[in-house]
Amino acid sequence: MVVPYPGSSPVWDLGHLGVVKMAIEDTVNYPLNGTDADSRWSSMLPKGGGIVHVGPDKKPYMLSIFHQLKCLDVIRRFHVATVEGDPNALQDLARHCLNYLRLMVLCRADLRLESVQNRDGMHAVDMYGDLTCTDWRQVYARVEENEGR
């Protein structure tokens, strides 16, 4: 674990992870609801849920990437529960997740330029194409190695 400067957030330093190209597309692989929606969304997390144990005392931490993915799933499940008539289900957790994701978006300040297509339309920007991303497959592999210790 690395703390870049006093008072800063700890970081699990995995060294250089490399990059991969990721196609941005409107996929059907992660549905909002349906018979396999829950299993599809939960499949994005490693076996142990993304918790790693670091330092000499093996203190547990959750990587932000997995907290973010879990929060997206919570918001998805909250929406489905609300549509199905149970608006109180997951409400507090969904509120936490919306706030957490808002803070992570602000903290990471992604400066990628997205082409404006229709200022006032439902899809105001062109989200399709390829992104150059941190190789998340290496993160998953290192988390699974850590779980085996």
Side-chain angles (χ1 to χ4, degrees):
M1 177 174 54
V2 174
V3 178
Y5 49 88
S8 68
S9 301
V11 175
W12 192 34
D13 185 8
L14 299 180
H16 179 70
L17 292 174
V19 297
V20 294
K21 290 281 188 190
M22 180 170 64
I24 303 301
E25 59 191 5
D26 194 7
T27 183
V28 297
N29 291 320
Y30 298 97
L32 188 60
N33 58 7
T35 56
D36 65 344
D38 290 346
S39 63
R40 292 282 181 115
W41 279 87
S42 65
S43 73
M44 287 191 282
L45 297 176
K47 288 184 296 189
I51 295 174
V52 295
H53 298 85
V54 297
D57 58 350
K58 303 288 185 201
K59 187 173 178 185
Y61 289 91
M62 176 175 279
L63 290 177
S64 183
I65 180 178
F66 300 122
H67 189 177
Q68 292 169 36
L69 288 171
K70 286 179 89 153
C71 272
L72 287 172
D73 189 32
V74 164
I75 293 166
R76 176 195 67 82
R77 289 186 292 125
F78 172 70
H79 173 74
V80 170
T82 302
V83 167
E84 292 175 351
D86 191 3
N88 294 321
L90 301 168
Q91 187 170 0
D92 290 339
L93 192 52
R95 184 180 306 111
H96 154 80
C97 283
L98 279 172
N99 189 49
Y100 173 71
L101 291 171
R102 177 186 65 81
L103 293 170
M104 292 302 100
V105 167
L106 291 172
C107 181
R108 284 153 174 84
D110 186 350
L111 302 178
R112 184 177 86 90
L113 296 172
E114 296 178 337
S115 176
V116 174
Q117 301 299 310
N118 179 358
R119 273 176 107 102
D120 302 318
M122 183 174 175
H123 300 288
V125 296
D126 180 9
M127 65 176 222
Y128 302 103
D130 289 337
L131 281 179
T132 302
C133 305
T134 300
D135 189 353
W136 64 89
R137 297 170 303 184
Q138 292 180 38
V139 175
Y140 280 76
R142 295 292 296 275
V143 167
E144 289 182 9
E145 286 173 17
N146 181 275
E147 290 171 349
R149 292 182 189 174

